[in-house]
Amino acid sequence: MVEEKKRVPGCELCEHTGGELVVSAAAWRVIRVRDADFPAFYRVVWQGHVAEFGDLDSASRALCMEVVARVEGVLRARLAPTKVNLAALGNVVPHLHWHVIARFAWDSHFPQPVWGPRQREVGAPAAVDRLAVTLDVLDDAVRQALADLA
Amino acid sequence: MVEEKKRVPGCELCEHTGGELVVSAAAWRVIRVRDADFPAFYRVVWQGHVAEFGDLDSASRALCMEVVARVEGVLRARLAPTKVNLAALGNVVPHLHWHVIARFAWDSHFPQPVWGPRQREVGAPAAVDRLAVTLDVLDDAVRQALADLA
């Protein structure tokens, strides 16, 4: 585990939380991204600085994906999204983090990835107000879903 | 496992291989996507029709991500890419498949995701000719890396 806690000066996710901190554990943290187009957008950040998923050993990969799957589960249970998108890219910040994003047929980019071209303007109500629950309730549900791992 | 082998009429990944078949097992297959911009682009497709990663039970999730990690490992060992990108989106084809893509600082979209705006034209040599090994060698390495799981 020593290597997994490595911190790299200048790495944005080593030096900053990276978003709204929802829950933090020894090996991982979950943050919520502030994004007006995609309000139900979480990131599972590995606390230690590793660039690639395969840099983790098997047990750490399993833990990491268990966290990802539980966040996905909360999004599905509370929001009934059209789809959940998962991604570990890290081209800009090569510190392992998983995007977990609830997507809806009405959202600004669907069915494009959130990084693709905008498909439409989402008028009133705003995206966050179209969710079945508030972000506070959603954050609480994420915390509860991860309580036994944190 | 019965539910995991469910096939849905009209689903592109139930009815078609989805690309160049590299290796196939009972529960998963690996295909290579023919993409001139991103020649080292594989997909790990779950054979049964499930939409979301969380639809798999814990053992199946572990198996799925072991396959993803091994494909990633081959890309890193053979190509030394700048980064590997992993993603399970499925907005267009909601049948679980993981994109595993070797990315290079010189590629057409880096550091943008492959779904984002093009950053540059890649002149000669073409992307595929910039890889350290041919696609045949790469496919063989993927098969070897997965031989004991297939």
Side-chain angles (χ1 to χ4, degrees):
Chain A
M1 295 292 284
V2 172
E3 195 180 14
E4 291 175 10
K5 298 289 178 53
K6 187 175 68 170
R7 289 186 175 271
V8 171
C11 171
E12 192 174 315
L13 288 175
C14 286
E15 296 194 339
H16 303 285
T17 305
E20 191 78 15
L21 184 64
V22 178
V23 52
S24 189
W28 51 269
R29 67 182 181 269
V30 176
I31 62 178
R32 180 165 46 71
V33 179
R34 295 173 179 276
D35 187 315
D37 288 328
F38 310 104
F41 184 162
Y42 291 84
R43 287 195 185 115
V44 176
V45 180
W46 199 252
Q47 302 282 31
H49 185 93
V50 296
E52 303 284 5
F53 182 60
D55 288 331
L56 300 184
D57 63 23
S58 172
S60 293
R61 291 202 305 268
L63 173 59
C64 186
M65 297 314 291
E66 177 67 21
V67 176
V68 168
R70 291 193 191 187
V71 175
E72 180 194 282
V74 169
L75 297 182
R76 295 176 71 189
R78 299 303 179 114
L79 303 178
T82 309
K83 192 69 189 63
V84 178
N85 290 172
L86 308 178
L89 307 177
N91 300 335
V92 177
V93 181
H95 175 133
L96 181 63
H97 59 284
W98 282 93
H99 305 280
V100 185
I101 314 165
R103 301 296 310 278
F104 298 89
W106 50 256
D107 78 32
S108 56
H109 287 59
F110 200 88
Q112 287 288 326
V114 302
W115 307 280
R118 179 178 292 267
Q119 300 298 295
R120 65 191 64 83
E121 295 302 323
V122 175
V128 68
D129 296 322
R130 292 171 183 241
L131 302 183
V133 299
T134 67
L135 295 180
D136 282 346
V137 168
L138 199 58
D139 287 351
D140 275 342
V142 168
R143 272 187 287 270
Q144 283 180 29
L146 293 167
D148 66 308
L149 291 178
Chain B
M1 293 294 281
V2 172
E3 195 180 13
E4 290 174 10
K5 297 287 178 53
K6 188 175 70 171
R7 289 187 175 272
V8 171
C11 170
E12 193 174 314
L13 288 175
C14 285
E15 297 194 338
H16 304 284
T17 305
E20 191 78 15
L21 184 64
V22 178
V23 53
S24 190
W28 51 268
R29 67 182 181 270
V30 176
I31 62 178
R32 181 165 46 71
V33 179
R34 295 173 180 276
D35 187 316
D37 288 327
F38 310 105
F41 184 161
Y42 291 84
R43 288 197 185 114
V44 176
V45 180
W46 199 252
Q47 301 282 31
H49 185 93
V50 297
E52 303 285 5
F53 182 59
D55 287 332
L56 300 183
D57 63 22
S58 172
S60 293
R61 290 202 306 267
L63 172 60
C64 186
M65 296 315 292
E66 177 67 22
V67 176
V68 168
R70 290 194 192 187
V71 175
E72 180 195 282
V74 169
L75 296 183
R76 294 177 71 188
R78 299 302 178 114
L79 303 178
T82 309
K83 193 68 189 65
V84 178
N85 290 173
L86 308 178
L89 306 178
N91 300 335
V92 177
V93 181
H95 175 133
L96 181 63
H97 58 285
W98 281 93
H99 306 278
V100 184
I101 315 165
R103 301 297 309 279
F104 299 89
W106 50 257
D107 79 32
S108 57
H109 288 59
F110 199 88
Q112 286 288 325
V114 302
W115 307 280
R118 179 178 292 268
Q119 301 298 295
R120 64 191 64 82
E121 295 302 322
V122 176
V128 69
D129 296 323
R130 293 171 183 241
L131 302 183
V133 299
T134 67
L135 295 180
D136 282 346
V137 168
L138 199 59
D139 287 351
D140 275 341
V142 168
R143 272 187 286 270
Q144 284 180 28
L146 293 168
D148 65 310
L149 291 179

